[in-house]
Amino acid sequence: MKIAIGNDHTAVDLKNVILDYLVSLGYEVINLGTDSRESCDYPVYGEKVGRAVVDGLADLGIAICGTGVGISLAANKVKGIRACVCSEPYTAKLSRMHNNSNVLAFGARVVGDEMAKMIVKEWLDAKYEGGRHQRRVDMVMEIEKKG
């Protein structure tokens, strides 16, 4: 499975921790983030991660900025993306199980390295349940079609 990862300048260190963690778990990782600590714009990287997922270059995406909010908003503007900001593992798990999220976002200024690893692990291990949840996911995607 391929995971696209993107980040802004606030999340270079955490991106590298998560990238190494993903590789240790056996995932192929596409690094779409900056490796510079010089100020840059998170929307660029949120869009890159979102496009990698919808274009099929990656199966899932991870986006990291200061809080996770801005980069997730950018990713969610890409048609077909369901990005979820998660600061703890339970929400990450349910975002996959119930919402079929395809991009995980979190904040380098909000979670530490070990919490970020736990969030990523729960998210990746969770499987979409479909069933009663599919109707709601379809409803969300219909909103997107309306523009």
Side-chain angles (χ1 to χ4, degrees), residues 29 50 63 94 99 137-138 147:
V29 183
L94 290 185
N99 310 114
V137 171
D138 290 344

Side-chain angles (χ1 to χ4, degrees), residues 30-55:
I30 304 167
N31 181 1
L32 300 175
T34 185
D35 290 316
S36 170
R37 288 175 184 77
E38 191 171 314
S39 183
C40 63
D41 300 317
Y42 60 79
V44 170
Y45 302 100
E47 181 180 7
K48 283 183 179 189
V49 170
R51 294 215 182 276
V53 172
V54 298
D55 291 345

Side-chain angles (χ1 to χ4, degrees), residues 6-134:
N7 61 286
D8 71 1
H9 61 284
T10 66
V12 172
D13 293 334
L14 186 54
K15 182 269 303 271
N16 289 328
V17 167
I18 297 304
L19 193 153
D20 290 344
Y21 180 63
L22 290 167
V23 169
S24 78
L25 294 174
Y27 293 98
E28 184 178 340
V29 183
I30 304 167
N31 181 1
L32 300 175
T34 185
D35 290 316
S36 170
R37 288 175 184 77
E38 191 171 314
S39 183
C40 63
D41 300 317
Y42 60 79
V44 170
Y45 302 100
E47 181 180 7
K48 283 183 179 189
V49 170
R51 294 215 182 276
V53 172
V54 298
D55 291 345
L57 301 173
D59 300 297
L60 296 169
I62 296 175
I64 316 167
C65 66
T67 63
V69 174
I71 203 163
S72 71
L73 291 172
N76 273 319
K77 294 297 181 183
V78 176
K79 194 171 193 164
I81 292 301
R82 290 173 305 282
C84 185
V85 181
C86 300
S87 298
E88 40 71 34
Y90 183 72
T91 302
K93 177 180 177 177
L94 290 185
S95 81
R96 282 290 303 260
M97 292 173 65
H98 294 182
N99 310 114
N100 201 18
S101 63
N102 51 12
V103 172
L104 171 66
F106 47 87
R109 294 177 174 158
V110 178
V111 300
D113 294 358
E114 295 307 312
M115 179 59 74
K117 288 178 190 177
M118 288 188 279
I119 292 167
V120 167
K121 182 82 165 100
E122 285 293 320
W123 187 70
L124 290 172
D125 287 349
K127 302 297 178 224
Y128 179 54
E129 292 179 346
R132 73 182 195 276
H133 304 292
Q134 187 60 51

